[in-house]
Amino acid sequence: MASLLPLLCLCVAAAHLAEARDAFPTEGPTGTAWGFHGQSPPSGQPSPALDNWEEASEWTSWFNVDHPGGDGDFESLAAIRFYYGPARVCPQPLALEARTTDWALPATVGERVHLNPTRGFWCLNREQPRGRRCSNYHVRFRCPLEAAWGTWGPWGPCSGSCGPGRRSRRRSCPVEDKCPGRPLEAQKCVRPQCPGCNPDTCGCPNHVLLGVVVTPSGRPLPGARVFLQGRPGTVATSNAHGNFRVPGICASSRANISAQVDGFSAGVAQAQANGSVSAVVTVVLKKLEKPYLMKHPESRVREAGQNVTFCCKAAGTPTPKKYSWFHNGTLLNRRELRYGAQLELRGLRPDQAGTYHCKAWNDAGTIRSAAAWLTVLAPGQPACDPQPLEHLIKLPDDCGQPDGSPAYLDVGRCPDVRCPGPLVSGPRCGDSSTRCCSVRRLQSQAVRCSGYVLPVKVVAECGCQKCLPSRALVRGRVVAADSGEPLRFARILRGHEPIGFTSYQGDFTIEVPPSPERLVLTFLDPSGEFVDAVRVLPFDPWGTGVYHEVKAMRKRVPVILDATQSNRIPLGELRDEAPMGELVLPPGAFRFANGRPYLGAVEARVTFVDPRDLASVAAAPSDLLFLDHDGELTPLHTYGMFSVDLRATSSGEQLQAGPLAVRVAAGQIHMAGHAEALRLWSLDPSTGLWEEEGRFQREAPTGPRVRREERVFLVGNVEVRERRLFNLDVPERRRCFVKVRVYANDKFTPSEQVEGAVVTLVNLEPAPGFSANPRAWGRFDSAVTGPNGACLPAFCHEEQPDAYTALVTATLGGEELEPAPSRPRPLPAAVGVTQPYLDRLDYRRTDHEDPAFKRNGFRINMAKPRPGNPAEARGPVYPWRSLRECQEAPLTDSHFRFARVEADRYEYNVVPFRESAPASWTSDFLAWWPNPQEFRACFLKVRIQGPQEYMVRARSAGGIHPRTQGQLYGLRDARSVRDPQQPSTSAACVEFKCSGMLFDQQLADRTLVTITPQGSCRRTAINTLLHDYLARHPPPVPTDDPIAFSMLAPLDPLGHNYGVYTVTDQSPRLAKEIAIGRCFDGSSDGFSREMKADAGTAVTFQCQEPPTGRPSLFQRLLESPASALGDIRQEMGEVARAQARATGPLRTRQGRAWQ
């Protein structure tokens, strides 16, 4: 049965596409390339620029969900939202553009198509000229930019002539129906008391009000206090079934009834007559939920005298109404500034610069926002220095120094700062036209290398220009923690909102909405075999794509319980270890969601995350944080987490239960004070925060005397209702931050820091010598490296350096990074930490004790810096209140380091571009990435038969575009990786510039790509399908040079059958990492870090070692091309015969791409 699940899921996806196709009419509006509301430019015209559009709007990325086949090509908006997520396309697109994957308009290829911005695109084969079928199209949509409301108008008069009433005010939107939120706001008001009847003087003695108090799921709430509007005091209390009765209430009075229960938000409902002398009412109460922030204030840059508005928005139950604002930690005067969720400051002064944050309150608690920084520039002070900063790039190896050391060139960069926003009349939460410091002018230079001249463009001038929209992306894969199998078609929730599904391979891509500090996602397994995976995934708000691998925990094997008997389920079942505790389910504890008792057989699956198993940390839910009474996020130290899944065996319906007893063995909690502070918590999946359910008490002895060997338990109670994830945690106040940086290689060059790497720190129990188990973990945290590294929270101790230890690892796009070595002893220059602090931290790489271990992390003692000690005042460990010092620490301060293992990969772009900084993109014809909002990565797989690994170079130049023909775009070098199954075979995945439109979107270029291995190598085979494709898509490139392979790169994303791997993404780094993973695997949808040299190869070379003392052919070509070519002319006959032997059989084997 389980084997049918993937097929069933594929059928569901296919049915979704089929429904989308059926939704398209056979007749309807047609077009050549456009679908607009109100305008139709002629076919063949390029996309209008953003600045020329009548309405503030922008284009989305390109989408392609269907390949032509059957009836034609279909790109429905419904299917795009299904596969890419609903947030990728706005609710009401303004226009739609369609192009073939060769970037041609439909009119250019002579095809009749249909398009509608609100429904999508379709092309029908039966409508095309005879003998022609629909091309493969991709589409994009024009979406309006978010409009902003004007200021609120004055309050209107209070309704009614006496007693309570309501008044309202309005605001206007400059673009009708485009502003988020409501145009009308109302509030209560009071006029003089109405004369006549009141509850004390009149009523209906023979009438009765019957009511019930319930939760949203229908569960009755006993003990609710019931109130009648206008009558003081409690008029009734609900019984065990939630019912109450109030006599004397007139049936036709439509009285307002409110109810209150501890732990629930107050509810109000209006009574309705159900007879001549009776009325009924149902009051629904929601459980109190602490506030959580939907919008944090954002940093701003202003000139003195301008205005600024900071915005804060919180949700919760009840909805928070009270806000407070702080400047540099000092509470601002509410009456003076008249603020609420928005803080507006007019006529800014220099002394108003600094940090601003808000706090929001409701009945359940408070929450504090992240701090926003306000910069106030003096008159005439430039926000962007026109003189670029230093930015060194490494030149190719054959452009190095005479002594053989690598050469670096300063190409300049503009500082990553914001410029003052526009001067607007009304308060706005966001800048409508945000400007950034970016490249204003480039200057061409030339660098002389060995045998050739390398062109380069350097930044000559910076200036304030419109910011490119930054989209924070999170991409990853969800797999089973125990087997690595993907979670196929798992439903993805952000909060309570469904936003998409994982793919057949478990992959997902999420675009982070603006202004959140935490991205909380829940992955729901459709098979029900895995615990709901709630994860808080760190991301880079500046737009660098981040890759995460999410481990899902398989549920335990179910046990069948008798609901009428007492049952016990152990928590933790490690081999040779006693359980951490047990869950006790008393008889009669089970019920349905509506409160009705259940007495049948129960299928129970209790899954425990045991911190004594270090491997379990990867599958632990959330990030172990809770809100303290000051509204600040505070870490927890865990002693175990468990999920509870209870179902009726007959119907499979989910059950609730409680109160249940949780018994924890006190002997498993060794740290001083933790047994007394242990609490029980439940996870709120919408916020990813833990909320306290109750405390533990030491269990009283049951007999007259307790033997020494008997276990002592701590006992707490829990109710299993809507929430199913629980935690045994202790709040911990001894906290620090750890500074970590990631570099492109183990040279640790300052200009080669890497952004977008995920650094994870796992806090371990005290080290050996203390009375705790050193194998257990207590908490974990992750952070993403930015321009200045990352700061990770951790537990620490000032007096006892080894009281806490930490294990730190880092990954980039799924690739494990390598820290500095520690054998035979750690060196301060390599680790990045000065002495004597380095010795106190006791830095040890994971292979320190055993060189056979993986070198993917390091352990340190979490020794808190001692006050007054200058050697420990500048990192790498910072006190909890010194987060800003950690974030802004200069490179010269101490920090821990990771480096990429794949140091034998080199990239050079003629037009410099920092992939982690979108503002560094320049609109130049030679730009490697022509579109800063969508990045297409292309790789070619080169197979090499030879005794060692070889460096392979790809040279990308302009092919057919008149503005770039013959000019260099860039160089890529990649070292081949040996196939573990074939000792004499390796392969290289080498990047080339994709063919396609250049930045002006006017004309496509087919990149001229030349592949040359280093060494004495000769080409022996070309992928048959690739060879035939290039022959069918002229102009051809001569391939008679046996030491290289050249082609005009295809416009189509061909796939692994051709040895070409293409991935399009909104992040260049993610696009490249995914393409490399597919290239290693030799498939179009797989991912591997182990090279499979015989799968999906484009071209094959035979290499051999040159005679001793003789330079390689690659080097000879660089130094003396004419002499090297003369040497090989005499070998051309032999090479031609080798090619004939290799190519001949291939033409008769359609399923093979090489010999």
Side-chain angles (χ1 to χ4, degrees):
M1 189 68 182
S3 62
L4 297 177
L5 178 61
L7 180 59
L8 177 61
C9 295
L10 284 174
C11 293
V12 171
H16 189 91
L17 276 175
E19 290 174 4
R21 294 187 182 205
D22 294 341
F24 291 127
T26 56
E27 300 296 333
T30 63
T32 54
W34 299 83
F36 292 89
H37 295 313
Q39 55 181 332
S40 295
S43 62
Q45 293 297 316
S47 311
L50 179 61
D51 297 335
N52 296 333
W53 199 264
E54 294 179 0
E55 184 176 346
S57 58
E58 63 180 355
W59 287 107
T60 66
S61 303
W62 291 93
F63 304 104
N64 188 351
V65 298
D66 188 32
H67 292 277
D71 297 332
D73 192 36
F74 300 83
E75 309 293 337
S76 81
L77 181 56
I80 289 171
R81 285 178 171 149
F82 176 83
Y83 285 105
Y84 288 87
R88 296 294 294 273
V89 183
C90 55
Q92 295 180 332
L94 301 173
L96 180 152
E97 180 185 6
R99 290 178 181 263
T100 69
T101 52
D102 290 335
W103 299 98
L105 295 172
T108 305
V109 296
E111 295 178 0
R112 184 172 185 265
V113 299
H114 306 259
L115 34 77
N116 185 313
T118 60
R119 300 174 66 185
F121 164 92
W122 62 103
C123 174
L124 302 176
N125 288 331
R126 66 174 180 268
E127 296 180 350
Q128 308 312 314
R130 175 170 295 184
R132 186 174 183 86
R133 297 172 64 86
C134 292
S135 301
N136 189 11
Y137 285 88
H138 51 190
V139 299
R140 64 176 181 172
F141 297 85
R142 189 84 181 188
C143 285
L145 295 175
E146 183 175 296
W149 291 103
T151 56
W152 285 104
W155 287 104
C158 190
S159 63
S161 58
C162 64
R166 298 181 70 83
R167 65 176 184 169
S168 62
R169 62 177 181 173
R170 292 184 174 274
R171 58 180 176 174
S172 60
C173 180
V175 184
E176 185 177 359
D177 298 330
K178 298 300 181 184
C179 296
R182 298 179 178 180
L184 181 68
E185 183 180 50
Q187 66 175 200
K188 296 178 181 179
C189 56
V190 179
R191 287 186 177 273
Q193 186 173 358
C194 297
C197 181
N198 62 68
D200 296 327
T201 60
C202 59
C204 301
N206 297 325
H207 291 208
V208 65
L209 171 68
L210 302 176
V212 62
V213 184
V214 296
T215 66
S217 64
R219 180 171 62 88
L221 288 175
R225 301 179 297 279
V226 182
F227 304 88
L228 174 65
Q229 184 177 359
R231 181 180 295 183
T234 302
V235 298
T237 301
S238 62
N239 61 19
H241 303 289
N243 299 320
F244 64 88
R245 184 175 186 273
V246 183
I249 304 298
C250 299
S252 59
S253 65
R254 300 179 65 85
N256 288 324
I257 306 298
S258 62
Q260 294 180 3
V261 176
D262 292 341
F264 288 80
S265 175
V268 180
Q270 193 173 64
Q272 303 291 330
N274 72 334
S276 59
V277 295
S278 65
V280 294
V281 67
T282 299
V283 185
V284 179
L285 302 186
K286 295 182 179 180
K287 190 173 182 179
L288 284 176
E289 292 182 354
K290 288 186 176 182
Y292 58 95
L293 282 165
M294 307 288 289
K295 183 176 182 62
H296 293 257
E298 300 177 13
S299 297
R300 292 283 179 257
V301 178
R302 291 290 187 269
E303 295 177 354
Q306 286 187 324
N307 306 333
V308 70
T309 300
F310 292 108
C311 297
C312 192
K313 182 181 180 182
T317 304
T319 302
K321 300 294 185 183
K322 182 182 177 183
Y323 291 85
S324 294
W325 285 91
F326 299 79
H327 175 218
N328 292 334
T330 301
L331 178 65
L332 296 175
N333 190 302
R334 185 191 309 273
R335 292 185 178 181
E336 178 184 336
L337 296 174
R338 302 176 65 85
Y339 61 70
Q342 296 184 11
L343 172 66
E344 182 182 3
L345 303 175
R346 292 183 169 272
L348 288 170
R349 306 181 307 273
D351 64 311
Q352 290 179 294
T355 59
Y356 289 83
H357 75 268
C358 75
K359 277 190 175 182
W361 277 268
N362 70 1
D363 295 340
T366 182
I367 189 169
R368 171 179 171 159
S369 75
W373 187 263
L374 173 63
T375 302
V376 180
L377 302 175
Q381 177 185 357
C384 178
D385 189 344
Q387 184 68 28
L389 303 175
E390 180 185 66
H391 180 60
L392 300 177
I393 65 167
K394 183 176 177 294
L395 296 176
D397 291 339
D398 45 6
C399 304
Q401 303 287 351
D403 62 356
S405 61
Y408 289 84
L409 177 67
D410 181 12
V411 297
R413 68 176 180 89
C414 298
D416 299 322
V417 297
R418 297 273 179 170
C419 296
L423 185 62
V424 294
S425 57
R428 300 177 63 94
C429 285
D431 290 340
S432 60
S433 180
T434 306
R435 298 191 303 156
C436 299
C437 185
S438 55
V439 178
R440 177 170 287 175
R441 183 169 59 88
L442 292 172
Q443 187 176 40
S444 297
Q445 294 185 6
V447 178
R448 293 197 172 275
C449 300
S450 179
Y452 66 98
V453 174
L454 183 71
V456 64
K457 293 192 176 185
V458 301
V459 179
E461 183 183 2
C462 302
C464 288
Q465 303 185 79
K466 185 175 180 180
C467 294
L468 293 170
S470 61
R471 291 187 171 93
L473 287 179
V474 170
R475 193 158 191 169
R477 191 165 181 250
V478 187
V479 298
D482 54 357
S483 64
E485 63 180 287
L487 255 67
R488 300 183 170 102
F489 307 114
R491 193 181 184 194
I492 306 174
L493 305 181
R494 185 173 60 230
H496 296 295
E497 175 191 3
I499 59 172
F501 297 84
T502 60
S503 71
Y504 183 77
Q505 295 294 336
D507 301 314
F508 65 91
T509 300
I510 303 296
E511 184 173 330
V512 184
S515 186
E517 288 291 313
R518 290 159 54 86
L519 176 64
V520 183
L521 300 178
T522 303
F523 301 89
L524 305 178
D525 172 38
S527 70
E529 287 299 312
F530 292 86
V531 176
D532 296 347
V534 182
R535 295 292 185 274
V536 180
L537 300 182
F539 60 93
D540 182 2
W542 292 99
T544 302
V546 179
Y547 185 91
H548 294 279
E549 186 168 76
V550 177
K551 301 290 184 68
M553 185 169 52
R554 195 182 301 273
K555 293 179 181 178
R556 296 287 295 177
V557 176
V559 294
I560 305 301
L561 308 179
D562 185 347
T564 62
Q565 302 294 323
S566 179
N567 299 275
R568 295 172 182 263
I569 300 178
L571 300 177
E573 297 182 85
L574 291 181
R575 180 180 297 179
D576 300 328
E577 295 280 357
M580 286 289 298
E582 61 183 6
L583 186 65
V584 181
L585 300 92
F590 303 94
R591 57 182 176 270
F592 293 100
N594 62 5
R596 183 165 52 90
Y598 176 79
L599 299 176
V602 178
E603 183 184 272
R605 306 178 82 167
V606 177
T607 308
F608 189 71
V609 179
D610 198 327
R612 296 172 298 177
D613 178 9
L614 191 56
S616 68
V617 68
S622 187
D623 58 356
L624 289 173
L625 291 175
F626 78 102
L627 281 177
D628 65 10
H629 63 277
D630 291 325
E632 296 192 23
L633 295 177
T634 305
L636 293 167
H637 181 292
T638 187
Y639 284 94
M641 312 176 193
F642 60 96
S643 74
V644 182
D645 186 11
L646 306 172
R647 297 183 181 273
T649 55
S650 57
S651 63
E653 184 176 355
Q654 198 166 54
L655 301 174
Q656 298 181 359
L660 310 181
V662 180
R663 303 175 73 236
V664 178
Q668 296 286 354
I669 303 174
H670 304 285
M671 297 195 68
H674 276 204
E676 295 75 16
L678 187 68
R679 303 176 192 174
L680 188 61
W681 309 75
S682 65
L683 179 65
D684 183 351
S686 62
T687 64
L689 297 175
W690 296 91
E691 297 184 3
E692 185 176 344
E693 291 281 340
R695 296 175 178 260
F696 285 85
Q697 300 292 331
R698 188 173 293 269
E699 188 176 49
T702 57
R705 184 176 180 180
V706 179
R707 295 193 303 272
R708 183 184 301 272
E709 64 272 12
E710 287 185 353
R711 304 177 75 193
V712 178
F713 286 90
L714 306 173
V715 181
N717 294 318
V718 66
E719 293 268 351
V720 179
R721 293 175 180 154
E722 292 82 6
R723 297 185 183 178
R724 302 280 164 163
L725 283 167
F726 302 94
N727 203 345
L728 312 171
D729 276 30
V730 175
E732 181 60 82
R733 299 290 177 179
R734 291 172 288 197
R735 299 167 285 170
C736 291
F737 286 99
V738 180
K739 183 75 171 189
V740 179
R741 300 180 188 271
V742 174
Y743 294 85
N745 53 60
D746 58 6
K747 302 296 188 296
F748 305 120
T749 307
S751 63
E752 294 183 325
Q753 283 196 80
V754 176
E755 300 179 39
V758 179
V759 185
T760 300
L761 184 149
V762 180
N763 253 118
L764 304 177
E765 287 279 359
F770 286 77
S771 57
N773 186 344
R775 294 175 300 164
W777 56 271
R779 69 167 287 103
F780 56 91
D781 284 279
S782 296
V784 175
T785 56
N788 203 33
C791 294
L792 291 99
F795 299 145
C796 59
H797 203 287
E798 181 180 332
E799 299 174 356
Q800 299 170 321
D802 54 352
Y804 291 97
T805 59
L807 171 64
V808 185
T809 58
T811 61
L812 181 66
E815 167 197 350
E816 292 181 336
L817 305 181
E818 189 172 295
S822 61
R823 290 172 56 92
R825 58 173 290 120
L827 301 177
V831 178
V833 181
T834 59
Q835 292 285 18
Y837 202 7
L838 179 59
D839 285 341
R840 188 165 180 250
L841 294 170
D842 194 19
Y843 175 90
R844 305 172 302 281
R845 198 166 68 175
T846 47
D847 67 336
H848 184 83
E849 303 295 339
D850 186 350
F853 280 16
K854 294 177 69 174
R855 299 177 293 180
N856 65 334
F858 63 87
R859 294 195 186 201
I860 55 172
N861 291 338
M862 287 307 305
K864 184 178 180 179
R866 294 167 291 193
N869 190 328
E872 300 177 4
R874 301 180 61 183
V877 181
Y878 293 81
W880 183 255
R881 296 297 177 186
S882 300
L883 174 59
R884 188 172 184 85
E885 288 82 351
C886 179
Q887 293 173 333
E888 298 179 353
L891 269 167
T892 53
D893 284 2
S894 293
H895 59 273
F896 293 110
R897 296 168 171 174
F898 283 90
R900 299 196 66 175
V901 180
E902 296 179 89
D904 293 329
R905 213 166 72 182
Y906 173 74
E907 300 179 0
Y908 172 77
N909 298 329
V910 170
V911 179
F913 173 62
R914 290 179 294 134
E915 295 174 354
S916 58
S920 66
W921 181 83
T922 309
S923 55
D924 192 282
F925 280 100
L926 292 177
W928 186 275
W929 308 103
N931 184 350
Q933 300 182 48
E934 184 176 71
F935 300 90
R936 192 180 187 195
C938 296
F939 283 78
L940 198 78
K941 189 167 185 177
V942 181
R943 180 171 179 256
I944 296 181
Q945 296 173 325
Q948 62 182 26
E949 296 176 341
Y950 298 84
M951 190 69 75
V952 180
R953 169 166 293 181
R955 184 182 188 275
S956 297
I960 61 174
H961 197 286
R963 296 291 297 269
T964 63
Q965 190 171 22
Q967 299 184 59
L968 183 68
Y969 287 118
L971 303 174
R972 297 292 188 268
D973 292 343
R975 184 173 295 279
S976 63
V977 178
R978 194 171 302 280
D979 188 329
Q981 306 299 324
Q982 303 183 63
S984 61
T985 303
S986 62
C989 295
V990 59
E991 184 187 10
F992 62 90
K993 184 187 181 302
C994 302
S995 296
M997 290 287 185
L998 300 187
F999 86 94
D1000 62 346
Q1001 297 290 301
Q1002 296 279 352
L1003 185 65
D1005 185 25
R1006 290 187 63 189
T1007 307
L1008 176 59
V1009 181
T1010 303
I1011 305 295
T1012 309
Q1014 178 183 3
S1016 300
C1017 303
R1018 293 175 177 81
R1019 190 184 70 247
T1020 58
I1022 300 175
N1023 183 298
T1024 306
L1025 295 177
L1026 178 61
H1027 183 273
D1028 293 344
Y1029 177 91
L1030 296 175
R1032 295 195 309 270
H1033 293 77
V1037 176
T1039 58
D1040 56 354
D1041 186 355
I1043 64 169
F1045 168 73
S1046 298
M1047 70 172 180
L1048 283 175
L1051 290 167
D1052 293 315
L1054 297 181
H1056 70 285
N1057 288 328
Y1058 299 78
V1060 179
Y1061 302 85
T1062 305
V1063 173
T1064 302
D1065 201 279
Q1066 291 176 288
S1067 164
R1069 179 171 296 145
L1070 286 181
K1072 291 195 291 188
E1073 293 297 336
I1074 294 169
I1076 290 174
R1078 294 176 180 177
C1079 180
F1080 269 59
D1081 191 61
S1083 66
S1084 292
D1085 57 359
F1087 189 91
S1088 175
R1089 283 291 172 189
E1090 184 177 282
M1091 179 60 74
K1092 302 174 183 177
D1094 280 348
T1097 303
V1099 60
T1100 301
F1101 287 85
Q1102 178 75 46
C1103 299
Q1104 59 185 10
E1105 287 298 302
T1108 304
R1110 184 186 182 190
S1112 68
L1113 186 57
F1114 182 84
Q1115 189 65 32
R1116 288 155 54 204
L1117 279 169
L1118 294 176
E1119 296 175 354
S1120 180
S1123 175
L1125 291 174
D1127 291 343
I1128 65 171
R1129 285 194 183 98
Q1130 58 184 348
E1131 304 174 12
M1132 291 293 293
E1134 180 183 347
V1135 170
R1137 288 191 296 273
Q1139 285 183 305
R1141 289 193 301 270
T1143 307
L1146 291 177
R1147 293 178 178 171
T1148 63
R1149 300 180 184 179
Q1150 295 298 319
R1152 300 285 299 277
W1154 56 82
Q1155 186 172 352

